[in-house]
Amino acid sequence: MSNSVIVAGIDCGTNSIRLKIARVDEQDMTDIVPKVLRVVRLGESVDATGRFADGALARVHAAAEEFAQILSEYNVQALRFVATSATRDAENRVVFEDDMEHLLGVRPEVISGLEEARLSYMGAISAFGRDQIQYPALIMDLGGGSTELVLGGDGVDTAVDQVQASYSMNVGSVRMTERHHLYDQPDDASVEAAIADIDEYLDVACAHIPIEQTRTFVGVSGTVTTMAALALNLPEYDASRVDGIRLPFAQVEQVDTKFLHMSREQRRVYKAIHPGRVDVVGGGALVLNRVIARVQERVVASGGELNELLISEHGLLDGIVLDLGRRMLRRV
């Protein structure tokens, strides 16, 4: 029997905090406690103030207490706690870090955008067989505060499980919604300003990543999976219906535009949207639309063809757990 370890990962982003416990061996990762998600909006107002709000710190504290109770029920051999965009930006982040260390016994690791990209790519491709993806694959992890674009290898010059190029953009559902007031039926001027903002970041990303090489485009994160559920007209969110589906770009863009221009009250009718995403899902949808348009444009301009998005429930959190487990196994 092969060696295995039981490890846990926590991913605390701008909008949500998530926990996963899994058994990792040399070949695979098996969930013990699948993803537990709590929307805490840790990044509330950080883009404007540069600080965590007291209410946000209280919400993440409550979630961490819950996670500590779950972790105490399992023989977890190691825990890695990763914090991303909002924590990178907050000048009072030590208050958050001290509180999390007190509750969970590990200090949050504020990772760089490059490390976030590497782990997101690892987690995303781990869920697919070699026959499901044409390489190079481009992974888009669209978060609350940042969006990572990661291009993997082609299997010739670079291994398909290795990152060829990546870029982290300070563009996300919460950040764009707050910065450009996209909460409720945004006017044309607000949308146009947000588009210009997103496109400027995409210009820089395209200078860092040869996006035109993309053969499979994979979208991960809450915004992406939520918009996929809405595109499928699901009466409520169902991860099993969303994970692994392929959606035409045109279908995604149509539903993105529809929900961008809705009010919060109109969005609340749709049970596929988590209540904690209702106010920012339109901003996330706009980011999704702009990234899709730019990727398709670059691929087509190079003589290629790309017209669909592969949706994945797997990403950064899976990468955190898988990477931790593999590192531990190498030390066994």
Side-chain angles (χ1 to χ4, degrees):
M1 182 176 178
S2 63
N3 291 326
S4 66
V5 290
I6 297 175
V7 294
I10 294 176
D11 160 28
C12 188
T14 300
N15 200 44
S16 63
I17 184 169
R18 302 176 298 163
L19 166 71
K20 179 186 179 79
I21 303 173
R23 180 181 295 278
V24 178
D25 61 26
E26 289 91 340
Q27 284 80 39
D28 208 355
M29 174 171 64
T30 305
D31 284 356
I32 294 174
V33 176
K35 180 173 65 179
V36 180
L37 179 147
R38 298 292 177 261
V39 175
V40 294
R41 193 63 58 81
L42 179 61
E44 178 186 7
S45 303
V46 167
D47 187 60
T49 67
R51 296 179 59 84
F52 287 137
D54 290 344
L57 290 169
R59 291 191 296 271
V60 77
H61 178 95
E65 284 187 320
E66 181 184 357
F67 287 4
Q69 177 59 43
I70 294 171
L71 286 162
S72 71
E73 298 170 6
Y74 297 90
N75 183 27
V76 175
Q77 296 164 255
L79 165 66
R80 186 180 187 189
F81 187 139
V82 162
T84 54
S85 176
T87 309
R88 287 195 290 265
D89 296 345
E91 63 183 41
N92 63 334
R93 75 189 207 187
V94 68
V95 177
F96 160 71
E97 292 167 349
D98 287 348
D99 188 39
M100 295 300 100
E101 185 174 18
H102 173 72
L103 289 171
L104 295 160
V106 296
R107 196 165 186 84
E109 183 183 346
V110 185
I111 61 173
S112 68
L114 290 175
E115 173 69 353
E116 185 174 354
R118 182 185 74 85
L119 293 171
S120 293
Y121 183 81
M122 177 186 291
I125 68 164
S126 71
F128 299 107
R130 184 64 190 264
D131 59 338
Q132 293 176 280
I133 296 182
Q134 286 185 293
Y135 292 95
L138 179 70
I139 309 299
M140 169 185 57
D141 186 349
L142 200 171
S146 67
T147 296
E148 281 64 49
L149 294 175
V150 194
L151 185 71
D154 59 5
V156 179
D157 296 320
T158 307
V160 298
D161 61 350
Q162 298 298 308
V163 173
Q164 179 186 161
S166 65
Y167 189 74
S168 179
M169 305 183 291
N170 279 335
V171 168
S173 60
V174 176
R175 195 185 296 269
M176 289 298 101
T177 298
E178 290 184 349
R179 186 180 293 177
H180 298 290
H181 309 289
L182 304 177
Y183 301 99
D184 281 294
Q185 296 176 313
D187 58 32
D188 289 346
S190 296
V191 173
E192 288 169 8
I195 287 173
D197 197 0
I198 297 163
D199 285 356
E200 187 173 339
Y201 278 100
L202 281 168
D203 290 342
V204 179
C206 288
H208 285 79
I209 307 171
I211 285 174
E212 65 279 358
Q213 296 180 15
T214 303
R215 293 297 171 263
T216 304
F217 188 17
V218 184
V220 305
S221 81
T223 291
V224 173
T225 55
T226 296
M227 300 317 296
L230 294 169
L232 294 172
N233 292 311
L234 297 184
E236 58 186 26
Y237 190 79
D238 183 346
S240 66
R241 297 279 303 277
V242 169
D243 191 32
I245 66 162
R246 298 174 189 268
L247 292 175
F249 287 157
Q251 187 178 357
V252 178
E253 290 167 347
Q254 183 179 33
V255 76
D256 285 349
T257 301
K258 175 182 175 181
F259 282 86
L260 167 63
H261 291 285
M262 282 185 181
S263 68
R264 277 181 275 200
E265 291 307 312
Q266 289 171 318
R267 292 177 196 144
R268 283 195 180 95
V269 174
Y270 294 83
K271 302 306 180 186
I273 306 176
H274 189 288
R277 300 190 193 280
V278 164
D279 57 338
V280 299
V281 75
L286 182 59
V287 176
L288 179 54
N289 262 2
R290 298 312 297 172
V291 176
I292 284 175
R294 182 65 66 93
V295 171
Q296 186 175 39
E297 173 190 298
R298 297 288 292 227
V299 171
V300 170
S302 71
E305 182 178 356
L306 191 67
N307 52 31
E308 65 181 14
L309 182 66
L310 175 58
I311 311 297
S312 177
E313 274 279 334
H314 308 275
L316 177 58
L317 184 60
D318 300 82
I320 293 167
V321 173
L322 191 59
D323 184 61
L324 176 59
R326 287 178 174 171
R327 285 192 286 113
M328 288 189 68
L329 286 170
R330 286 197 293 269
R331 295 198 294 265
V332 172

